Amino acid sequence: MDRLLKKCRIRSSLARECLAEGLGVYVLILFGCGSVAQVTTSRNTKGEYLSINLGFALGATFGVYISKGVSGAHLNPAVSLSLCLLGRHPWIRLPFYIVSQFLGAFLAAATVHLQYSDAIVSFGGQEVSGPNGTAGIFATYPADYLSLGAGVLDQVIGTAALLVCVLAIGDQRNTPAPAGLEPVLVGAIVLVIGVSMGSNSGYAINPARDLGPRVYTYIAGWGEEVFRAGRCWWWVPVVATPLGAVVGSLLYELLIGAHFPDTDTLTEELVMANHHALQLEGKNPDGQIPKPANHYNPQELLERPS
């Protein structure tokens, strides 16, 4: 078996990263949309709204565990875009990541449909909206009271909150997550966004999570209504979530990240502190305080593998 696996090993780092992103998103959507399917088709007798929140949260957790060591576990085009803007991910890889994330979500939606096809038929078939609507198993749709403007704001705020928290737990200059627990905390972020911001439109906060399954439902029989429903809602998760990610990234960097002392400042403060201490002891500090040979660069610890 080891010999066979070695022959299957992919040498291209970009190809490995794309496979990791695709599988990570696949697991996220498999558990997330699977939980929606169970709650919906059972008419809330085998789960409830919190079950959906937990499904997406744990799906995100395991998706990150699967792909973090290979691709950095973006699992979200909005996250990939923000990291490119921050200079932590190469722009040339961005389109490949986005396509992989989209395909992972598309295939996961197909798997959920395969699993729950009989339940969907029994529930009411391939209706988009109404009491027997099943398209919401796969993609997000706005509540009846929600205007498009309010929906855009909802997605911007939710995705901005996601990025602020994700950047915080990965910032080695701040209070970073303990090694190995980052995926758990990412899942916790998804959970708290779901329980606090999910009722308006289902907290997509991820263009691939929404568009991939929506395209699948269009192909699989729900038809063009999946793009017309909710006053043509489909574009809001695609456009507003990257905007929210950029807003969240800028908020974190402008309010927190930009204000940590840089390497040179830390070195000078260390030298000056030692200089004053030696003066108090009556010693001549000149030439006695070498600067550290290895400079600590906190930015390096923030860069995801690429």
Side-chain angles (χ1 to χ4, degrees):
M1 178 60 75
D2 287 342
R3 291 181 180 178
L4 178 61
L5 291 175
K6 287 180 180 179
K7 290 182 179 179
C8 295
R9 183 176 298 166
I10 296 174
R11 304 298 178 184
S12 168
S13 62
L14 178 58
R16 293 197 301 267
E17 291 164 19
C18 289
L19 288 174
E21 284 293 307
L23 183 58
V25 175
Y26 179 89
V27 168
L28 164 62
I29 302 304
L30 180 69
F31 291 153
C33 289
S35 65
V36 182
Q38 179 167 298
V39 172
T40 301
T41 57
S42 70
R43 300 186 187 273
N44 289 43
T45 61
K46 296 179 180 177
E48 53 190 17
Y49 183 65
L50 183 58
S51 304
I52 297 171
N53 298 144
L54 290 171
F56 276 106
L58 293 173
T61 296
F62 290 111
V64 174
Y65 269 122
I66 287 168
S67 58
K68 183 176 184 296
V70 180
S71 67
H74 300 183
L75 309 187
N76 185 336
V79 172
S80 298
L81 173 63
S82 294
L83 293 175
C84 288
L85 289 171
L86 293 173
R88 301 174 192 174
H89 187 70
W91 283 99
I92 195 171
R93 277 172 155 76
L94 179 62
F96 297 98
Y97 269 53
I98 291 175
V99 170
S100 300
Q101 293 155 355
F102 174 87
L103 286 176
F106 180 92
L107 293 173
T111 304
V112 171
H113 186 203
L114 181 65
Q115 279 187 299
Y116 283 93
S117 58
D118 289 346
I120 289 172
V121 171
S122 176
F123 182 81
Q126 294 176 316
E127 294 187 23
V128 174
S129 56
N132 293 324
T134 52
I137 290 173
F138 303 95
T140 65
Y141 294 87
D144 292 337
Y145 59 78
L146 192 69
S147 67
L148 280 178
V152 170
L153 182 62
D154 175 77
Q155 288 300 294
V156 168
I157 293 173
T159 316
L162 172 69
L163 265 293
V164 167
C165 296
V166 166
L167 290 175
I169 65 174
D171 193 343
Q172 298 296 323
R173 303 164 300 176
N174 201 336
T175 308
L181 287 182
E182 299 94 335
V184 176
L185 294 179
V186 171
I189 295 168
V190 173
L191 176 61
V192 74
I193 291 174
V195 299
S196 63
M197 306 181 192
S199 62
N200 279 337
S201 60
Y203 71 109
I205 60 174
N206 183 336
R209 171 266 174 275
D210 195 82
L211 186 59
R214 193 182 301 273
V215 170
Y216 173 77
T217 55
Y218 168 74
I219 296 172
W222 278 264
E224 294 180 1
E225 183 62 21
V226 299
F227 291 103
R228 294 197 297 260
R231 299 176 297 282
C232 296
W233 169 261
W234 71 270
W235 65 268
V236 176
V238 175
V239 174
T241 52
L243 177 60
V246 172
V247 170
S249 300
L250 290 176
L251 281 174
Y252 183 81
E253 291 301 322
L254 290 175
L255 299 180
I256 303 294
H259 307 294
F260 290 108
D262 57 27
T263 304
D264 292 339
T265 303
L266 288 172
T267 302
E268 290 173 4
E269 289 177 354
L270 176 62
V271 171
M272 289 304 298
N274 289 335
H275 189 282
H276 295 320
L278 289 173
Q279 281 183 328
L280 291 175
E281 294 178 9
K283 298 179 180 178
N284 177 18
D286 294 335
Q288 296 182 12
I289 309 174
K291 292 187 177 182
N294 296 321
H295 293 275
Y296 164 64
N297 184 1
Q299 186 63 33
E300 292 179 357
L301 296 176
L302 282 173
E303 294 180 351
R304 296 175 178 268
S306 59

